[in-house]
Amino acid sequence: MTIQRIKPGDYTKTPIDKTEDPDFGTDMIPKTRYTSREFMQKEWDRLWTKVWNWGCASEDVAEPGDYIVTSLGKEEILITRQPDGTIKAFYNVCQHRGNRLMMGQGNATTFRCNYHHWEYRLNGEFENIPDIESFPQGAPPCGGLTEVRSREWNGFVFFCLDPDGESFEDFIHPLEEHLGPYHFDRMVKVTDWTVEWECNWKTSVDAFNESYHVQGIHPELLYFIEDKHLQIDTYDKHNRYLIPFATISHRVNETTEIPHLIKHAMKEAGMDPADFDGRVSEVRGALQKFKREHGAEMGIDYSDLNDEQLTDDYHYMIFPNITMNTHAEDLMLFRQRPHETDPDRMYFDVQMFKLLKKGEEKPRKPKNERFKHGERSMGLVIDQDAANLPGVQRGMHSEAYEGLWLGDQELRIRHFHKVLMDYVQED
Amino acid sequence: MDLDLKGSKVAVTGGSRGIGKSIATLFAAEGCDVSICARGPETIEKTRAEIESHGVKSFGTALQGRDGEAVRTWTRDTCDAFGGLDVLVCSLSAGGGTNDERYWYRSFEIDLMSATRAVEEAYPHLKSSENAAILVVSSMAAAETFVSPMAYNSMKAALITWSKQLAEQFAPKGIRVNCLEPGPTMFPGSNWEMIKVARSRTYSGVLRQQPTRRMAEAEEIARSAVFLCSPAARWVTGATLRVDGGYTKGVQF
């Protein structure tokens, strides 16, 4: 079955042109990048401490004094909103005895360490050191918390541990133009999970950077997406693929009945599948048209998105560890964080955002829930990935396995490794 | 045993896929001219080519099953094109669907009303046939609770009652009317093929109840259908034949 694609000139704001596929060769990717502690240390020294990292959603620190603590490897970062509306981020550590300063998230007028009540202003400066006269050397000359660079963009806060590193604009390019039209800042968070997974963070990143595994791990999605005939685009650091949704894979036969996931997508848009007389392969186009025509009355502004974006998954990876399933009405964002010490473990953050319809009441902000894989369901599709990944990680330790043998459908994984090695430089 | 169908003129609603297609092509193999109607022009063309490969005539129209006038026109056009009609098979179906209200109307129009409309239009031609037969394709799902409450099962049940009454009314006119209740049937592009992949638990639940652990093939249904419509079944009317490989467990006395 042929998938109809948007043509250049049809619209729009998010660039749709296919980038020329880079030639990264066909070499095996050494498995040690996933399993070795030496490589993990190099990643810390040369990647995590140099690159821009996704920190939180803007709405996590909506009001002055709102703060959230996020962790990356051995570090914890305290992100907070200033009285003037800007963002600051600090290492979350008290300059006195090294205690963790804040935990979780909340609102504060000052940050006070619970150990000896050393107190810091929202801008990081010392506010009060109890019994300061008992320190003959005075207060630490640093003047307060150690700030890290931070930047708010399109509803998210990023931070960078390298004080002299590249600018955020250089880092994020060209995604500003790509993702701006989705207006993530108009969406609200509806899910916030952190799950400990028994695999390397890259094992997880890889799983979302190809859809070649859909036939194996997510067979039911063959009746909702086209899994092979995708557009893959690679940029300086980031990459994407454009996956047609609300259609069926070329791997399966067209049915009379509309598959249930497609029906669900139609109903969500207010389109009744029982009144649709076309074929299953015609739903995607009809649904795009329907949303375009009825968006306003549904209270949704689709004006910055092209027709394809109304049904499909424009699937972005912000290097190194952010996976974004972007849809017109929602965003499913995964952040893959390295473990503090163990290359065989990671933290998988799921943050789902939804566009509020006009007049729709804002749902209560979800609390971050932490659990280990298997303790609760995250929905069928993520559960399927989660169940599979520990086996991949375990297998990579086998004597009989040397590295990743990648095909064209896995170009994004090659591109990711190219950028990774630009940072890490050597295996 | 000779089915004695050669030269008959046959119309099959929804004859471009699955059971309907298998019935249509089996009639063609028996030497009948066959007409079909369905949504997709491409599948109609393909099926017509298959029909004609048996050296018989074909006819076909792309239409929406709930478009009553289109179904009536196709029936009349078929009779015109073939110069009469001997057999009408009503197998057009909307398939299953959730229990939303609109699905009741959809099922009503496509499963039930397309059959009554085709019968109405075919009647004058069938009356003049020497071997007239109508076959209404219902479903095993009408006879037992199956999967979930939905319009499909109920509309298929309505077809059984209606066909029985038709049989009585039409018998003196020389038109036999029978009903077929196929069990779960697997073919390329069938809903079961999708359910096997997309709702594997539902699928395996159904398969476990099938004594031979497999579903029917479309041709296994079509053979019974063609037999019931053939002169070889000339004393069979008002019958409802369940062809389900032993799926249903109730005993019919």
Side-chain angles (χ1 to χ4, degrees):
Chain A
M1 204 182 64
T2 324
I3 292 289
Q4 295 293 323
R5 295 224 77 111
I6 283 287
K7 291 181 189 57
D10 279 355
Y11 288 96
T12 186
K13 307 252 163 54
T14 299
I16 53 166
D17 294 338
K18 165 98 192 77
T19 57
E20 200 183 324
D21 284 344
D23 183 5
F24 295 130
T26 55
D27 288 351
M28 180 184 280
I29 306 275
K31 69 170 186 180
T32 45
R33 291 181 196 171
Y34 297 80
T35 55
S36 116
R37 284 174 192 273
E38 291 71 40
F39 191 81
M40 186 182 185
Q41 184 60 45
K42 284 179 195 162
E43 278 180 348
W44 180 255
D45 295 337
R46 302 173 187 179
L47 172 71
W48 297 115
T49 52
K50 304 293 175 201
V51 77
W52 281 91
N53 288 282
W54 193 93
C56 66
S58 292
E59 69 176 283
D60 291 325
V61 285
E63 301 298 327
D66 282 358
Y67 67 88
I68 186 167
V69 177
T70 185
S71 77
L72 179 69
K74 66 185 172 75
E75 293 292 358
E76 284 190 359
I77 305 299
L78 171 66
I79 299 169
T80 180
R81 177 82 59 188
Q82 301 299 298
D84 67 358
T86 60
I87 290 286
K88 278 191 187 295
F90 309 98
Y91 286 94
N92 184 41
V93 59
C94 178
Q95 301 290 358
H96 176 219
R97 296 272 292 278
N99 188 29
R100 161 192 281 148
L101 184 60
M102 304 300 285
M103 284 173 78
Q105 54 182 312
N107 183 276
T109 46
T110 59
F111 302 123
R112 193 172 73 163
C113 178
N114 66 2
Y115 199 178
H116 308 90
H117 284 185
W118 278 36
E119 200 172 356
Y120 304 83
R121 294 183 190 132
L122 295 180
N123 67 6
E125 292 168 5
F126 287 122
E127 164 73 17
N128 182 43
I129 298 177
D131 307 333
I132 181 68
E133 72 284 358
S134 66
F135 292 84
Q137 74 279 42
C142 58
L145 299 174
T146 305
E147 188 171 352
V148 299
R149 288 199 292 158
S150 60
R151 179 61 199 267
E152 192 170 15
W153 171 72
N154 201 15
F156 307 128
V157 176
F158 287 77
F159 67 88
C160 178
L161 299 183
D162 182 0
D164 309 311
E166 66 185 327
S167 71
F168 179 77
E169 285 67 27
D170 286 348
F171 166 78
I172 202 70
H173 181 78
L175 297 192
E176 193 135 24
E177 190 188 1
H178 284 246
L179 295 174
Y182 282 97
H183 301 290
F184 300 134
D185 48 1
R186 294 179 193 166
M187 295 185 179
V188 295
K189 196 189 281 189
V190 289
T191 301
D192 186 344
W193 296 326
T194 298
V195 199
E196 194 177 324
W197 278 2
E198 292 186 355
C199 67
N200 188 266
W201 66 276
K202 298 184 293 299
T203 312
S204 171
V205 169
D206 290 352
F208 300 105
N209 267 350
E210 48 88 0
S211 70
Y212 182 38
H213 72 284
V214 164
Q215 21 134 23
I217 299 290
H218 314 294
E220 72 290 336
L221 290 184
L222 297 176
Y223 286 95
F224 187 60
I225 73 173
E226 169 51 54
D227 56 320
K228 185 178 177 188
H229 302 302
L230 318 172
Q231 177 175 322
I232 297 181
D233 297 309
T234 58
Y235 305 101
D236 289 350
K237 292 187 172 63
H238 319 295
N239 59 45
R240 71 171 183 182
Y241 49 45
L242 312 181
I243 312 186
F245 271 27
T247 187
I248 53 172
S249 166
H250 70 287
R251 298 181 202 271
V252 298
N253 293 305
E254 189 171 17
T255 50
T256 309
E257 191 174 331
I258 301 172
H260 67 285
L261 291 172
I262 300 181
K263 270 187 196 165
H264 179 74
M266 295 167 85
K267 285 184 189 172
E268 286 283 299
M271 183 178 178
D272 196 331
D275 285 330
F276 184 72
D277 285 325
R279 293 160 49 187
V280 171
S281 55
E282 293 165 343
V283 171
R284 177 171 166 267
L287 182 55
Q288 290 167 359
K289 198 160 170 267
F290 185 92
K291 285 188 176 184
R292 183 66 68 198
E293 283 166 8
H294 298 273
E297 72 197 61
M298 297 287 288
I300 298 177
D301 177 9
Y302 290 124
S303 56
D304 284 348
L305 301 174
N306 70 45
D307 281 359
E308 225 170 54
Q309 287 171 302
L310 304 191
T311 52
D312 296 358
D313 185 16
Y314 275 31
H315 186 286
Y316 283 86
M317 187 203 62
I318 302 182
F319 183 83
N321 64 339
I322 300 298
T323 301
M324 300 173 92
N325 288 274
T326 56
H327 312 119
E329 304 91 1
D330 66 88
L331 164 69
M332 195 189 288
L333 183 146
F334 306 146
R335 177 170 61 154
Q336 287 120 144
R337 287 180 292 142
H339 190 262
E340 293 86 339
T341 54
D342 189 350
D344 290 330
R345 284 153 80 185
M346 65 161 289
Y347 300 104
F348 184 72
D349 298 316
V350 178
Q351 306 241 324
M352 299 202 210
F353 301 85
K354 142 183 158 163
L355 188 70
L356 288 185
K357 292 174 181 162
K358 201 173 169 188
E360 188 178 347
E361 201 178 323
K362 194 173 167 176
R364 240 174 77 172
K365 192 163 176 294
K367 282 211 166 71
N368 179 253
E369 294 176 64
R370 297 180 72 95
F371 48 96
K372 288 196 175 178
H373 164 61
E375 286 175 353
R376 59 163 294 179
S377 172
M378 292 182 285
L380 177 65
V381 175
I382 307 179
D383 284 352
Q384 288 167 330
D385 288 309
N388 186 58
L389 291 175
V392 177
Q393 188 67 23
R394 192 184 164 89
M396 284 203 269
H397 283 278
S398 168
E399 281 302 319
Y401 186 75
E402 289 176 37
L404 285 66
W405 189 266
L406 301 174
D408 288 346
Q409 293 180 68
E410 295 159 309
L411 178 66
R412 291 177 76 194
I413 299 181
R414 278 202 190 281
H415 176 253
F416 166 74
H417 275 272
K418 152 79 172 62
V419 182
L420 176 74
M421 295 316 285
D422 286 347
Y423 278 88
V424 181
Q425 291 166 20
E426 54 178 359
D427 279 306
Chain B
M1 182 176 69
D2 185 5
L3 292 179
D4 204 15
L5 274 166
K6 196 168 167 45
S8 297
K9 304 162 179 32
V10 179
V12 183
T13 69
S16 77
R17 300 162 46 89
I19 293 173
K21 177 182 177 179
S22 202
I23 291 172
T25 51
L26 200 53
F27 271 118
E30 290 295 318
C32 308
D33 297 337
V34 183
S35 169
I36 56 171
C37 64
R39 274 194 296 194
E42 307 91 352
T43 52
I44 286 183
E45 284 317 307
K46 264 174 76 176
T47 308
R48 285 187 67 176
E50 218 172 301
I51 289 166
E52 285 176 10
S53 72
H54 293 285
V56 297
K57 282 195 273 184
S58 79
F59 185 79
T61 306
L63 53 78
Q64 298 297 343
R66 56 179 182 164
D67 181 345
E69 206 37 56
V71 172
R72 289 180 186 278
T73 305
W74 165 79
T75 314
R76 288 195 299 266
D77 289 351
T78 296
C79 298
D80 287 352
F82 291 168
L85 194 71
D86 301 299
V87 175
L88 171 68
V89 178
C90 303
S91 73
L92 193 66
S93 176
T98 50
N99 218 22
D100 295 350
E101 183 166 323
R102 292 299 310 163
Y103 270 100
W104 285 87
Y105 289 97
R106 186 172 182 81
S107 242
F108 170 74
E109 290 285 347
I110 297 178
D111 288 73
L112 189 58
M113 291 311 290
S114 79
T116 67
R117 287 162 181 153
V119 165
E120 234 176 82
E121 297 298 332
Y123 175 70
H125 301 273
L126 292 171
K127 219 168 45 174
S128 0
S129 159
E130 295 291 309
N131 293 299
I134 294 171
L135 181 71
V136 174
V137 179
S138 173
S139 166
M140 164 282 291
E144 279 196 354
T145 57
F146 188 63
V147 183
S148 65
M150 54 184 161
Y152 176 80
N153 308 35
S154 303
M155 291 304 154
K156 288 301 192 189
L159 284 170
I160 298 171
T161 310
W162 173 68
S163 65
K164 179 71 180 171
Q165 295 204 244
L166 270 188
E168 188 171 315
Q169 189 189 353
F170 284 179
K173 315 282 180 192
I175 305 169
R176 297 181 300 109
V177 183
N178 291 294
C179 187
L180 193 70
E181 293 181 351
T185 304
M186 180 67 88
F187 54 86
S190 68
N191 290 336
W192 286 116
E193 191 181 65
M194 165 177 66
I195 292 166
K196 184 178 180 179
V197 173
R199 310 193 116 166
S200 55
R201 264 184 234 165
T202 304
Y203 178 79
S204 53
V206 168
L207 210 59
R208 265 200 301 278
Q209 294 178 59
Q210 191 83 53
T212 51
R213 299 291 184 270
R214 75 163 177 91
M215 292 185 173
E217 292 167 18
E219 196 186 330
E220 291 170 326
I221 306 298
R223 284 173 174 273
S224 301
V226 171
F227 165 73
L228 285 174
C229 297
S230 75
R234 70 179 181 200
W235 199 238
V236 186
T237 193
T240 297
L241 179 62
R242 191 172 303 163
V243 186
D244 68 356
Y247 184 90
T248 47
K249 305 297 180 283
V251 183
Q252 289 174 293
F253 285 102

